[in-house]
Amino acid sequence: MVDDLAARFEHTVASEARIEPRDWMPDGYRRTLIRQIAQHAHSEIIGMQPEGNWISRAPSLRRKAILLAKVQDEAGHGLYLYAATETLGADRGELTEKLVDGKQKYSSIFNYPTLTFADMGVIGWLVDGAAICNQVPLCRTSYGPYARAMIRICKEESFHQRQGYELLMTMMRGTLAQRDMVQDAVNRWWWPSLMMFGPPDSESSNTEQSMAWRIKRNTNDELRQKYVDMSVPQAAKLGVTFPDPLLKWNAERGHHDFGQPDWDEFWQVVGGHGPCNSQRVAHRRKAHEDGAWVREAAEAHAAKASARQDG
Ligand code: FAQ
């Protein structure tokens, strides 16, 4: 029986059809999806903090409205993704507990501070740019609810990226001090943005199995290369440089050569020891605790409503 189910699962994956919540799936497939989707959801929710930091200090009403909309979108992406984990049997409350207890990860990128308003532009351009590069292939991931969530999320990420690039273009047309601010932000965010794609393939414990299950459609290094190739002409048009002396076009490969991020720093950050890890998690924990009364009120309301219906 299990052999039949396993064969059907393998066939569905191999034929590029989607696995749906009620289909049989190997335990490891379910566990891997819950891990990846939960980390992704946590990243969206924690990722609201570095930008939320600037909403009250945006330089104009227009920039404030854009930033508010972007941060709200991120909350929506997080909730959408938590809903996808629920289709796999995960419990949203438990996932949040694991996040605030440091038992589940979120993207390393959100452990760096946002020092100036140029960081808002660079997060949109580079961080959302990396997110899109990583997530567009996930629209073809083998698990249906995750693939469908990615389609909508990618559309919104595209708006996020465009607003960031437009913000930077505006600053680059401004004063020398504004141009310097943009270059400084690019210098600080370039290497962390390369780390978003995960460790080099040789150190990526999950890639091989995730590719076989078609959860991941590309390796970490493939996507990192694609991102570098995509970003270089955008930087030239903007008038900024990347802080990498090894970055240059390789005509033979048809790709840019580039240097490696500091992988020791990456593992430190992933291990909870980056510049803002404790601040981010403490803030999330406080928001979760402060929201307890809302969850209790919602549950009490739902219980009363269902009692009324039964009665
Ligand atoms: N940070 O074996 P692999 C956004 C962990 S976009 C922290 O290669 P995998 C939008 C990894 O989980 C950001 N941990 O892992 C936004 C694994 O942990 P384990 C979120 C990382 O899963 C923009 C271990 O290292 N996007 O939020 C990182 O096959 C602006 C070994 O690594 C997604 O999550 C990292 N950078 O590949 C919001 C996309 N990299 O097994 C606000 C979906 C690796 O020890 C503002 N996720 N690790 O528990 C993925 O595509 C994959 O999970 C990868 C990692 C590619 C991130």
Side-chain angles (χ1 to χ4, degrees):
M1 178 71 177
V2 172
D3 283 352
D4 282 356
L5 293 169
R8 192 182 307 164
F9 169 85
E10 294 296 342
H11 176 75
T12 305
V13 169
S15 59
E16 295 283 333
R18 298 275 171 268
I19 303 294
E20 295 297 338
R22 291 198 185 110
D23 293 344
W24 183 91
M25 59 187 84
D27 288 345
Y29 179 83
R30 189 184 298 276
R31 264 198 314 276
T32 300
L33 277 169
I34 292 176
R35 175 189 60 81
Q36 179 167 323
I37 304 174
Q39 285 184 9
H40 194 167
H42 297 330
S43 305
E44 297 280 358
I45 298 296
I46 295 275
M48 295 166 73
Q49 292 185 38
E51 290 168 301
N53 181 36
W54 281 91
I55 291 173
S56 61
R57 290 177 286 159
S60 69
L61 184 60
R62 177 168 175 267
R63 291 293 170 202
K64 187 174 180 134
I66 293 172
L67 195 54
L68 260 176
K70 180 178 192 296
V71 173
Q72 282 177 354
D73 284 352
E74 284 151 11
H77 297 173
L79 299 184
Y80 220 47
L81 289 163
Y82 284 128
T85 66
E86 286 172 333
T87 68
L88 290 155
D91 179 273
R92 192 184 295 217
E94 279 173 23
L95 297 180
T96 302
E97 294 293 339
K98 284 187 180 154
L99 169 68
V100 298
D101 289 344
K103 291 183 186 146
Q104 273 183 349
K105 300 183 173 74
Y106 58 89
S107 182
S108 50
I109 193 77
F110 303 117
N111 292 304
Y112 292 86
T114 43
L115 303 182
T116 71
F117 200 72
D119 290 28
M120 298 304 97
V122 170
I123 288 182
W125 172 38
L126 293 181
V127 176
D128 284 282
I132 293 169
C133 202
N134 167 265
Q135 286 166 210
V136 166
L138 292 177
C139 297
R140 293 184 295 112
T141 193
S142 57
Y143 186 57
Y146 191 28
R148 291 189 286 276
M150 281 300 110
I151 294 171
R152 176 168 178 166
I153 290 174
C154 283
K155 285 186 182 157
E156 294 184 350
E157 302 285 25
S158 299
F159 153 67
H160 295 175
Q161 206 234 5
R162 292 291 289 271
Q163 70 78 38
Y165 198 68
E166 189 264 349
L167 191 166
L168 295 176
M169 274 291 187
T170 307
M171 286 187 81
M172 290 302 284
R173 284 194 298 268
T175 62
L176 178 62
Q178 285 174 309
R179 286 196 290 279
D180 286 349
M181 218 187 269
V182 174
Q183 182 63 59
D184 171 66
V186 170
N187 292 347
R188 285 183 288 106
W189 289 94
W190 174 246
W191 294 112
S193 76
L194 291 186
M195 295 175 188
M196 287 176 71
F197 296 93
D201 292 350
S202 55
E203 289 174 45
S204 166
S205 44
N206 300 296
T207 293
E208 195 182 338
Q209 181 61 74
S210 290
M211 295 272 289
W213 278 328
R214 302 198 184 182
I215 293 175
K216 282 171 85 164
R217 308 304 313 242
N218 301 90
T219 72
N220 301 353
D221 286 333
E222 281 168 11
L223 291 176
R224 201 173 357 258
Q225 177 73 66
K226 194 169 168 206
Y227 173 70
V228 171
D229 290 339
M230 175 182 111
S231 302
V232 168
Q234 294 173 358
K237 184 132 184 65
L238 195 56
V240 296
T241 55
F242 292 130
D244 179 357
L246 300 177
L247 183 62
K248 67 168 193 311
W249 177 248
N250 181 328
E252 219 169 282
R253 289 202 308 122
H255 291 290
H256 292 85
D257 291 338
F258 58 99
Q260 285 297 305
D262 178 345
W263 291 115
D264 289 340
E265 175 184 316
F266 170 77
W267 291 116
Q268 282 291 317
V269 175
V270 171
H273 308 294
C276 298
N277 293 60
S278 45
Q279 180 188 330
R280 300 286 186 241
V281 173
H283 190 82
R284 181 70 194 92
R285 178 188 291 280
K286 184 170 184 309
H288 185 58
E289 287 168 0
D290 288 351
W293 70 272
V294 180
R295 293 189 294 279
E296 280 160 25
E299 271 173 28
H301 177 73
K304 273 191 195 165
S306 91
R308 261 200 304 273
Q309 222 167 24
D310 293 346

Coordinates of all heavy atoms in Angstrom, one line a residue, residues 35-36 39-41 43-44 47-48 51 70 74 77 105-110 123-124 127-128 130-131 134-135 138 146 157 160 195-200 203-207 210 216 220 223 266-267 270, ligand 1:
R35 N 9.7 23.2 7.5 CA 10.9 24.0 7.9 C 11.1 25.2 6.9 O 11.2 26.3 7.4 CB 12.1 23.1 7.8 CG 13.4 23.8 8.1 CD 14.7 23.0 7.9 NE 14.8 22.5 6.5 CZ 15.3 23.2 5.5 NH1 15.7 24.5 5.7 NH2 15.3 22.7 4.3
Q36 N 11.1 24.9 5.6 CA 11.4 26.0 4.7 C 10.3 27.0 4.7 O 10.6 28.2 4.7 CB 11.6 25.4 3.3 CG 11.9 26.5 2.2 CD 12.4 26.0 0.9 OE1 13.2 25.0 0.9 NE2 12.0 26.6 -0.2
Q39 N 10.3 29.0 7.9 CA 11.5 30.0 7.9 C 11.2 31.2 7.0 O 11.5 32.3 7.3 CB 12.8 29.3 7.4 CG 13.4 28.4 8.5 CD 14.7 27.8 8.0 OE1 15.2 28.2 7.0 NE2 15.2 26.8 8.7
H40 N 10.5 30.9 5.9 CA 10.2 32.0 5.0 C 9.1 32.9 5.6 O 9.3 34.1 5.6 CB 9.6 31.3 3.7 CG 9.5 32.2 2.5 ND1 9.3 31.8 1.3 CD2 9.6 33.6 2.4 CE1 9.3 32.8 0.4 NE2 9.5 33.9 1.1
A41 N 8.1 32.3 6.3 CA 7.1 33.1 6.9 C 7.7 34.0 8.0 O 7.5 35.2 8.1 CB 6.0 32.2 7.5
S43 N 10.7 35.0 8.2 CA 11.5 36.1 7.6 C 10.7 37.3 7.2 O 11.1 38.4 7.4 CB 12.2 35.5 6.3 OG 13.0 34.4 6.6
E44 N 9.5 37.0 6.6 CA 8.6 38.1 6.3 C 8.2 38.9 7.5 O 8.2 40.1 7.5 CB 7.4 37.5 5.6 CG 7.6 36.8 4.3 CD 7.9 37.7 3.1 OE1 7.8 38.9 3.2 OE2 8.1 37.2 2.0
G47 N 11.2 40.5 9.0 CA 11.7 41.5 8.0 C 10.9 42.8 8.0 O 11.3 43.8 7.4
M48 N 9.8 42.8 8.7 CA 9.0 44.1 8.9 C 9.8 45.1 9.8 O 9.6 46.3 9.7 CB 7.7 43.8 9.5 CG 6.7 43.0 8.6 SD 5.3 42.4 9.6 CE 4.4 43.9 9.7
E51 N 12.5 47.9 8.3 CA 11.9 49.0 7.6 C 10.9 49.7 8.5 O 10.7 50.9 8.4 CB 11.2 48.4 6.3 CG 12.2 47.9 5.3 CD 11.5 47.1 4.2 OE1 10.9 46.1 4.5 OE2 11.6 47.5 3.1
K70 N 4.4 48.7 1.9 CA 5.3 47.6 1.7 C 5.4 46.7 2.9 O 5.3 45.5 2.9 CB 6.7 48.1 1.4 CG 7.8 47.1 1.2 CD 9.1 47.7 0.8 CE 10.2 46.7 0.3 NZ 10.6 45.7 1.3
E74 N 4.4 42.7 3.7 CA 5.2 41.7 4.3 C 4.4 40.9 5.4 O 4.6 39.7 5.4 CB 6.5 42.3 4.8 CG 7.5 42.7 3.7 CD 8.4 43.9 4.0 OE1 8.4 44.3 5.2 OE2 9.0 44.3 3.1
H77 N 2.3 38.5 3.5 CA 3.1 37.4 3.0 C 3.3 36.3 4.1 O 3.2 35.1 3.9 CB 4.4 37.8 2.4 CG 4.3 38.7 1.3 ND1 5.4 39.3 0.7 CD2 3.3 39.1 0.5 CE1 5.0 40.1 -0.3 NE2 3.7 40.0 -0.4
K105 N 14.7 29.2 12.3 CA 15.5 30.3 11.8 C 14.6 31.2 11.0 O 13.5 30.9 10.7 CB 16.5 29.7 10.8 CG 17.5 28.7 11.4 CD 18.5 28.2 10.4 CE 19.6 27.4 11.0 NZ 19.2 26.0 11.3
Y106 N 15.2 32.4 10.6 CA 14.6 33.3 9.7 C 15.8 33.9 8.9 O 17.0 33.7 9.3 CB 13.8 34.4 10.4 CG 14.6 35.2 11.4 CD1 15.3 36.4 11.0 CD2 14.7 34.8 12.7 CE1 16.0 37.1 11.9 CE2 15.4 35.5 13.6 CZ 16.1 36.7 13.2 OH 16.8 37.4 14.1
S107 N 15.6 34.6 7.8 CA 16.7 35.0 6.9 C 17.7 35.8 7.7 O 17.4 36.8 8.3 CB 16.1 35.7 5.7 OG 17.2 36.0 4.9
S108 N 19.0 35.5 7.4 CA 20.1 36.2 8.0 C 20.1 37.7 7.7 O 20.5 38.5 8.5 CB 21.4 35.6 7.4 OG 21.3 35.5 6.0
I109 N 19.5 38.1 6.6 CA 19.6 39.5 6.1 C 18.9 40.4 7.1 O 19.3 41.6 7.2 CB 18.9 39.6 4.7 CG1 19.2 40.9 4.1 CG2 17.4 39.4 4.8 CD1 20.5 41.1 3.5
F110 N 17.9 40.0 7.9 CA 17.2 40.9 8.7 C 17.9 41.1 10.1 O 17.3 41.7 11.0 CB 15.7 40.4 8.9 CG 15.1 40.3 7.5 CD1 14.6 39.1 7.0 CD2 15.0 41.4 6.7 CE1 14.1 39.0 5.7 CE2 14.4 41.4 5.4 CZ 14.0 40.1 4.9
I123 N 17.2 48.1 0.5 CA 16.5 46.8 0.8 C 15.5 46.5 -0.3 O 15.4 45.3 -0.7 CB 15.7 47.0 2.2 CG1 16.8 47.0 3.3 CG2 14.7 45.9 2.4 CD1 16.2 47.1 4.7
G124 N 14.8 47.5 -0.8 CA 13.9 47.2 -1.9 C 14.6 46.7 -3.1 O 14.3 45.7 -3.7
V127 N 17.5 43.5 -1.5 CA 17.0 42.4 -0.7 C 15.7 41.9 -1.4 O 15.6 40.7 -1.5 CB 16.7 42.9 0.7 CG1 16.0 41.8 1.5 CG2 18.0 43.4 1.4
D128 N 14.8 42.7 -1.8 CA 13.7 42.2 -2.6 C 14.1 41.6 -3.9 O 13.5 40.7 -4.4 CB 12.6 43.3 -2.7 CG 11.8 43.5 -1.4 OD1 11.0 42.7 -1.1 OD2 12.2 44.5 -0.7
A130 N 16.9 40.0 -4.5 CA 17.3 38.6 -4.2 C 16.1 37.7 -3.8 O 16.1 36.6 -4.3 CB 18.3 38.7 -3.0
A131 N 15.2 38.3 -3.1 CA 14.0 37.5 -2.8 C 13.3 37.0 -4.0 O 12.9 35.9 -4.2 CB 13.1 38.3 -1.9
N134 N 15.1 34.3 -5.9 CA 15.0 33.0 -5.2 C 13.6 32.5 -5.3 O 13.4 31.3 -5.3 CB 15.4 33.3 -3.7 CG 15.0 32.1 -2.8 OD1 13.9 32.2 -2.2 ND2 15.8 31.1 -2.7
Q135 N 12.6 33.4 -5.4 CA 11.2 32.9 -5.2 C 10.5 32.7 -6.6 O 9.5 31.9 -6.6 CB 10.4 33.9 -4.4 CG 10.8 33.8 -2.9 CD 10.3 35.0 -2.0 OE1 10.9 35.3 -1.0 NE2 9.2 35.6 -2.4
L138 N 10.4 29.2 -7.2 CA 9.5 28.5 -6.2 C 8.0 28.5 -6.7 O 7.2 27.8 -6.1 CB 9.7 29.1 -4.8 CG 11.0 28.8 -4.2 CD1 11.1 29.5 -2.8 CD2 11.3 27.4 -4.0
Y146 N 2.2 26.1 -1.6 CA 3.4 26.9 -1.6 C 3.6 27.6 -2.9 O 3.8 28.8 -3.0 CB 4.6 26.1 -1.2 CG 5.9 26.8 -0.8 CD1 5.8 28.1 -0.3 CD2 7.1 26.2 -0.9 CE1 7.0 28.8 0.1 CE2 8.3 26.9 -0.6 CZ 8.2 28.2 -0.1 OH 9.4 28.8 0.3
E157 N 6.4 41.4 -4.5 CA 7.8 41.7 -4.3 C 8.4 42.6 -5.5 O 9.3 43.3 -5.3 CB 8.6 40.4 -4.3 CG 8.3 39.4 -3.2 CD 8.7 39.8 -1.8 OE1 8.9 41.0 -1.5 OE2 8.9 38.9 -0.9
H160 N 7.8 46.0 -4.7 CA 8.7 46.4 -3.6 C 10.1 46.7 -4.2 O 10.8 47.7 -3.9 CB 8.9 45.2 -2.6 CG 7.7 44.9 -1.8 ND1 7.6 43.9 -1.0 CD2 6.5 45.6 -1.8 CE1 6.4 43.9 -0.4 NE2 5.7 44.9 -0.9
M195 N 24.3 36.5 0.8 CA 24.2 35.4 1.8 C 22.7 34.9 1.8 O 22.5 33.8 2.4 CB 24.6 35.8 3.2 CG 26.0 36.2 3.3 SD 26.3 36.9 5.0 CE 28.0 37.4 4.8
M196 N 21.8 35.7 1.3 CA 20.4 35.3 1.4 C 20.1 34.0 0.7 O 19.2 33.3 1.0 CB 19.5 36.4 0.8 CG 19.3 37.6 1.6 SD 18.4 38.8 0.8 CE 16.7 38.1 0.8
F197 N 21.0 33.6 -0.3 CA 20.8 32.4 -1.1 C 21.2 31.2 -0.4 O 21.1 30.1 -0.9 CB 21.5 32.6 -2.5 CG 20.9 33.7 -3.3 CD1 21.4 35.0 -3.2 CD2 19.7 33.5 -4.1 CE1 20.9 36.0 -4.0 CE2 19.2 34.5 -4.8 CZ 19.7 35.8 -4.7
G198 N 21.7 31.3 0.8 CA 22.2 30.2 1.6 C 23.6 29.9 1.4 O 24.3 30.5 0.6
P199 N 24.2 28.9 2.1 CA 25.6 28.6 2.0 C 26.0 28.0 0.6 O 25.1 27.7 -0.2 CB 25.8 27.5 3.1 CG 24.4 26.8 3.2 CD 23.4 28.0 3.0
P200 N 27.3 28.0 0.3 CA 27.7 27.4 -1.0 C 27.1 26.0 -1.1 O 26.9 25.3 -0.1 CB 29.2 27.3 -0.9 CG 29.6 28.2 0.2 CD 28.4 28.4 1.1
E203 N 28.2 23.2 1.0 CA 27.9 23.1 2.5 C 26.4 23.1 2.7 O 25.9 23.3 3.9 CB 28.5 24.4 3.2 CG 30.0 24.3 3.3 CD 30.5 25.6 3.8 OE1 30.0 26.1 4.8 OE2 31.5 26.1 3.3
S204 N 25.6 23.0 1.7 CA 24.2 23.1 1.8 C 23.6 21.7 2.1 O 23.5 20.8 1.2 CB 23.6 23.7 0.5 OG 22.2 23.4 0.5
S205 N 23.2 21.5 3.3 CA 22.8 20.1 3.7 C 21.5 19.7 3.1 O 21.2 18.5 2.9 CB 22.6 20.1 5.3 OG 22.0 21.2 5.7
N206 N 20.6 20.6 2.7 CA 19.3 20.3 2.2 C 19.1 20.2 0.7 O 18.1 19.6 0.2 CB 18.2 21.2 2.8 CG 18.2 21.2 4.3 OD1 17.9 20.2 4.9 ND2 18.6 22.4 4.9
T207 N 20.0 20.9 0.0 CA 19.7 21.1 -1.5 C 19.5 19.8 -2.2 O 18.5 19.7 -3.0 CB 20.9 21.9 -2.1 OG1 20.9 23.2 -1.5 CG2 20.7 22.0 -3.6
S210 N 16.1 18.3 -1.5 CA 15.0 19.3 -1.9 C 14.9 19.4 -3.4 O 13.8 19.6 -3.9 CB 15.3 20.7 -1.3 OG 15.1 20.6 0.1
K216 N 13.0 22.7 -4.1 CA 13.9 23.7 -4.7 C 14.1 23.4 -6.2 O 14.2 22.2 -6.5 CB 15.2 23.7 -4.0 CG 15.2 24.3 -2.6 CD 16.5 24.1 -1.8 CE 17.6 25.1 -2.2 NZ 18.6 25.1 -1.1
N220 N 21.6 26.8 -4.5 CA 21.9 28.1 -3.9 C 22.9 28.9 -4.8 O 22.8 30.1 -5.0 CB 22.6 28.0 -2.5 CG 21.6 27.3 -1.5 OD1 20.5 27.0 -1.9 ND2 22.1 27.0 -0.3
L223 N 21.4 30.3 -8.1 CA 20.6 31.5 -7.9 C 21.5 32.7 -7.6 O 21.2 33.8 -8.0 CB 19.5 31.3 -6.9 CG 18.5 30.3 -7.3 CD1 17.5 30.0 -6.2 CD2 17.7 30.8 -8.5
F266 N 28.4 34.7 8.1 CA 27.1 34.1 7.8 C 26.6 33.1 8.9 O 25.5 33.2 9.4 CB 27.1 33.4 6.4 CG 25.9 32.6 6.1 CD1 24.7 33.2 5.7 CD2 25.9 31.2 6.2 CE1 23.5 32.4 5.4 CE2 24.8 30.4 5.9 CZ 23.6 31.0 5.5
W267 N 27.5 32.1 9.2 CA 27.1 31.1 10.2 C 27.0 31.7 11.6 O 26.1 31.3 12.3 CB 28.2 30.0 10.2 CG 28.1 29.1 8.9 CD1 29.1 29.0 8.0 CD2 27.0 28.4 8.4 NE1 28.7 28.2 6.9 CE2 27.4 27.8 7.2 CE3 25.7 28.1 8.9 CZ2 26.5 27.0 6.4 CZ3 24.8 27.3 8.2 CH2 25.3 26.7 7.0
V270 N 23.5 33.3 11.3 CA 22.5 32.2 11.3 C 22.4 31.5 12.7 O 21.3 31.1 13.2 CB 22.8 31.1 10.2 CG1 21.9 29.9 10.4 CG2 22.6 31.8 8.9
Ligands
FAQ1 N1 19.4 32.8 6.6 O1 20.7 23.4 3.2 P1 20.6 24.9 3.1 C1 11.9 37.9 2.4 C2 19.8 27.7 6.8 S1 13.0 36.9 1.5 C3 19.2 32.0 7.6 O2 21.1 25.5 1.8 P2 17.8 25.3 2.2 C4 11.2 39.0 1.6 C5 18.9 26.7 6.2 O3 17.6 27.0 6.5 C6 13.9 35.9 2.7 N2 19.3 30.6 7.5 O4 19.0 25.3 3.3 C7 11.4 40.3 2.3 C8 19.3 25.4 6.7 O5 18.8 25.3 8.0 P3 18.6 23.9 8.9 C9 13.2 34.6 3.0 C10 19.7 30.1 6.3 O6 16.6 25.5 3.0 C11 12.2 41.3 1.7 C12 20.9 25.6 6.8 O7 21.1 27.0 6.8 N3 13.1 33.8 1.8 O8 11.7 37.6 3.5 C13 20.0 31.0 5.2 O9 17.8 24.2 1.3 C14 12.4 42.5 2.2 C15 21.6 25.0 5.6 O10 21.2 25.6 4.3 C16 13.0 32.4 1.9 O11 13.0 31.9 3.0 C17 19.8 32.4 5.4 N4 20.1 33.2 4.4 O12 18.1 26.6 1.3 C18 10.8 40.7 3.5 C19 12.9 31.7 0.6 N5 20.4 30.2 4.2 O13 18.4 22.8 7.9 C20 11.0 41.9 4.1 C21 12.6 30.3 0.7 C22 20.4 28.9 4.6 O14 19.9 23.8 9.6 C23 11.8 42.8 3.4 N6 13.7 29.5 1.2 N7 20.0 28.9 5.9 O15 17.4 24.2 9.7 C24 14.6 29.0 0.4 O16 14.6 29.1 -0.8 C25 15.7 28.1 1.1 O17 15.3 27.8 2.4 C26 17.1 28.8 1.2 C27 18.1 27.9 1.9 C28 17.7 29.0 -0.2 C29 17.0 30.2 1.9

